[in-house]
Amino acid sequence: MGDRVAACAQCWNLPVVANRSPGGRYRELVLRAPELAARMRPGQFVNVRCAEGLDPFLRRPFSVYRMDRAGGTFSLLYDVVGRGTGMMARWEPGDAADVLAPLGNWFAVPDGGGPLALVAGGVGVVPLVALAEAVAPTGRPLHALLGARTADLLLGEADFRGLGATVDVSTDDGSRDHHGPVHSLLQALLDRGDRFDVVYACGPRAMMAAVSRVAEGAGLPCFVSMEAGMACGFGVCMGCAWRVRADEVKYRLVCTDGPIFDAREILWDMA
Amino acid sequence: MTASGTFGYGREMAEMVDLNRLGALVVKTLQLEARPGNPSPRICETPAGMINSIGLPGAGIEHFLAEDLPFLRRYETPVILSVAGCRVEEYEALVRRADECEGIAAIELNISCPNVKQGGLAFSVDPAATAGVVSACRAATRKPLIAKLTPNVTSIAAIARAAEDAGADAIAAINTILAMAINVRTRRPRIATNVGGLSGPAIRPVAVRMVWEIASAVRIPVIGMGGIMNAEDALEFILAGATAVAVGTATFRDPAAALGVIDGLEAFLREQGIARIRELVGAVEVWR
């Protein structure tokens, strides 16, 4: 897990460089922010104000997707699911976005040169692309395992290939490659003798729970990027609490204790 | 001022907001012992607001006094403690402990939290129970005592008068309004405790009305809060009779929202040629 970060975030008014669709209903929002692009770490998130007015009232949290330090930009990949993201989808180059950033901790990468497994479910691919982007220049082997319900919902494959990662795909309906959930793909790779130093996972709760069980069974450290509804993003509303494994009832905050957690900490079957 | 539960213990905000610019900092409610808080989901968004049921998690008053208060004392801003308990004796013990401490300007009695099983709301829905907890705390401290009231009552003026008669130095109003939201597909309430407290601009007109009723009923100062986003919102409370205002849920959207309100108030006074904001307190010209 990354270091705990003090709330050093601030509100930025960031010019929109592009707001394009890489396919399906997903969109990539590219923002000009040289200082943030230089400072943010993979796994961190930002909180975007979608509405000019009061509705929707709260900001929307998004993991950082790509960071272009040389170009002074970073991007978010988002699924247009509701009114907030619907408003974002209409932003055009030249518009400005009110973004609270940087927020949360980041992926820690232990020393050593062994391969890293990046296991993504659907749009959970976003922070793992950021991680791959940061690790790729070191030459460390990266193996991306991408899961989706069907082949046309797959995301991030081109990103990982472009970063030199090995990519394996699983689909729930068997429309491409490994037929089954992505944790069974991880298990299959381990069974055939693949070795990893660490497993990183992001996706739906049940998917991360299953991946963390596979990793635990193989004795591998596993870090997950958690998601929860939140009002603030900087540790004061305390809305984004996740129950953790402990003798007593104990919660940690996704926004400031996370979003990256050691999977062994999380109590998966309870909110 | 900051509204309790929306600004942490100050430390979380110190790098984003100049704490010295605040009129006062009201910390998240403290209890005698550490509490984990309520299960998730704890919040949901609603039109122009949100419902929360956080359940007052915290490490307890001793942890605050040892770890957080020394940090806050480095700033000039008065620190107001917010305290809650299940029984009158717990409030009394918290107030007595706070009374011994340097660097605490006042104590707010949170007798209106809707999200804890015992205590909390049970006190400020009833004039006699309100008087009981306030008078017990009055005997335990000479520091200013603020009674924070719930809007979930028929007559908030009667509760405010009971608090005043029992020795409260000020009234803070309002806490959140009991509320519920349901996911129609899963048929589940959107928060784990089924009901929670509504806050944000959606509740502001209710809060302004209640502050007006309280200010008309008591002689002690009223601290107005409930959905304040900007200076104009704050001015409504001041005209209704509030001598101070607190910014709460707006901070979640904009960490520096309270400072924006201060700037806006100063600009308004300049624009209107008003020398002192006190001239506006209770200056609403009601229809006859």
Side-chain angles (χ1 to χ4, degrees):
Chain A
M1 189 179 58
D3 305 311
R4 196 191 151 100
V5 220
C8 54
Q10 64 182 91
C11 291
W12 306 75
N13 209 29
L14 303 178
V16 173
V17 176
N19 192 17
R20 57 192 169 225
S21 176
R25 61 184 186 183
Y26 299 102
R27 292 185 83 89
E28 183 184 10
L29 176 68
V30 184
L31 299 169
R32 178 161 310 287
E35 202 181 321
L36 284 171
R39 214 168 102 193
M40 284 195 295
R41 311 279 293 270
Q44 287 197 291
F45 69 102
V46 304
N47 230 346
V48 178
R49 184 169 158 185
C50 304
E52 293 247 340
L54 298 176
D55 207 14
F57 182 70
L58 300 173
R59 291 171 183 267
R60 298 286 183 267
F62 299 95
S63 281
V64 173
Y65 175 48
R66 302 293 306 237
M67 267 179 281
D68 179 357
R69 285 195 173 139
T73 65
F74 74 89
S75 75
L76 312 174
L77 185 70
Y78 61 101
D79 193 356
V80 183
V81 288
R83 277 179 310 129
T85 46
M87 288 175 173
M88 287 171 64
R90 291 194 288 275
W91 292 350
E92 292 175 358
D95 290 346
D98 176 348
V99 176
L100 180 61
L103 298 170
N105 66 0
W106 51 86
F107 289 112
V109 180
D111 295 337
L116 308 177
L118 313 179
V119 189
V123 76
V125 74
V126 172
L128 300 175
V129 169
L131 176 60
E133 193 178 63
V135 172
T138 67
R140 191 166 189 164
L142 297 167
H143 197 144
L145 288 68
L146 308 181
R149 271 182 288 129
T150 71
D152 51 338
L153 291 175
L154 274 169
L155 266 178
E157 186 174 0
D159 290 301
F160 285 116
R161 290 199 194 281
L163 291 163
T166 306
V167 178
D168 272 301
V169 166
S170 75
T171 48
D172 293 350
D173 65 352
S175 51
R176 242 196 84 183
D177 302 356
H178 181 85
H179 184 178
V182 71
H183 74 271
S184 68
L185 171 60
L186 175 64
Q187 186 66 62
L189 295 184
L190 291 167
D191 289 345
R192 79 174 187 199
D194 283 20
R195 289 292 166 260
F196 304 108
D197 280 1
V198 188
V199 175
Y200 299 92
C202 184
R205 182 196 306 191
M207 168 262 170
M208 288 194 285
V211 169
S212 71
R213 276 194 298 272
V214 171
E216 199 165 357
L220 295 175
C222 179
F223 295 96
V224 291
S225 174
M226 304 293 287
E227 188 176 38
M230 59 182 70
C232 72
F234 40 89
V236 301
C237 82
M238 300 192 167
C240 60
W242 266 92
R243 182 124 178 231
V244 293
R245 288 190 200 178
D247 294 336
E248 73 239 296
V249 177
K250 196 176 164 201
Y251 298 94
R252 299 192 73 195
L253 299 181
V254 168
C255 69
T256 49
D257 296 321
I260 314 303
F261 291 89
D262 185 324
R264 289 169 302 186
E265 263 194 293
I266 303 291
L267 198 57
W268 290 106
D269 47 0
M270 295 187 72
Chain B
M1 296 171 53
T2 62
S4 179
T6 62
F7 212 79
Y9 304 105
R11 191 193 286 253
E12 300 90 330
M13 305 298 292
E15 293 196 31
M16 294 189 283
V17 178
D18 180 0
L19 302 186
N20 278 330
R21 288 198 58 210
L22 296 166
L25 196 160
V26 186
V27 301
K28 182 161 176 70
T29 298
L30 298 160
Q31 299 174 86
L32 283 175
E33 307 294 337
R35 293 288 168 85
N38 288 341
S40 291
R42 291 176 169 182
I43 59 163
C44 76
E45 190 177 51
T46 56
M50 59 181 282
I51 300 174
N52 86 79
S53 179
I54 309 296
L56 302 181
I61 188 167
E62 291 305 328
H63 184 271
F64 170 81
L65 295 176
E67 302 294 326
D68 297 307
L69 186 59
F71 174 83
L72 289 177
R73 292 193 64 190
R74 306 211 305 250
Y75 296 86
E76 295 156 19
T77 302
V79 174
I80 299 178
L81 237 59
S82 169
V83 297
C86 299
R87 295 172 295 114
V88 171
E89 293 74 24
E90 289 179 26
Y91 281 94
E92 199 183 342
L94 286 156
V95 167
R96 182 155 292 152
R97 182 74 182 93
D99 186 67
E100 301 162 356
C101 299
E102 298 276 324
I104 295 171
I107 304 163
E108 179 174 280
L109 304 175
N110 180 358
I111 50 174
S112 45
C113 176
N115 300 324
V116 288
K117 281 207 182 82
Q118 297 158 320
L121 195 58
F123 290 102
S124 84
V125 292
D126 178 67
T130 298
V133 67
V134 172
S135 60
C137 293
R138 177 74 288 161
T141 186
R142 302 181 71 162
K143 288 188 196 281
L145 269 183
I146 303 162
K148 184 161 179 182
L149 303 187
T150 179
N152 303 300
V153 293
T154 308
S155 170
I156 199 165
I159 311 279
R161 269 195 302 269
E164 178 182 41
D165 293 344
D169 298 294
I171 302 292
I174 58 175
N175 207 317
T176 54
I177 299 177
L178 272 176
M180 187 178 196
I182 300 170
N183 181 327
V184 298
R185 304 201 186 279
T186 63
R187 303 187 183 184
R188 287 280 200 185
R190 289 190 184 273
I191 52 174
T193 52
N194 300 318
V195 300
L198 182 65
S199 67
I203 73 167
R204 197 185 71 240
V206 177
V208 171
R209 184 264 296 179
M210 288 192 156
V211 163
W212 180 64
E213 289 176 348
I214 296 166
S216 309
V218 300
R219 279 182 225 152
I220 54 178
V222 182
I223 304 163
M225 67 199 73
I228 294 175
M229 300 295 289
N230 53 46
E232 194 161 316
D233 297 347
L235 284 159
E236 280 197 73
F237 283 88
I238 292 164
L239 289 167
T243 53
V245 292
V247 174
T249 302
T251 299
F252 298 155
R253 224 166 80 123
D254 173 7
L259 302 189
V261 171
I262 294 169
D263 292 339
L265 287 173
E266 286 169 355
F268 181 85
L269 295 183
R270 271 197 307 275
E271 172 201 313
Q272 299 273 316
I274 297 164
R276 298 175 63 212
I277 198 161
R278 181 163 287 280
E279 293 170 32
L280 296 176
V281 173
V284 58
E285 296 183 14
V286 294
W287 300 92
R288 300 282 174 197

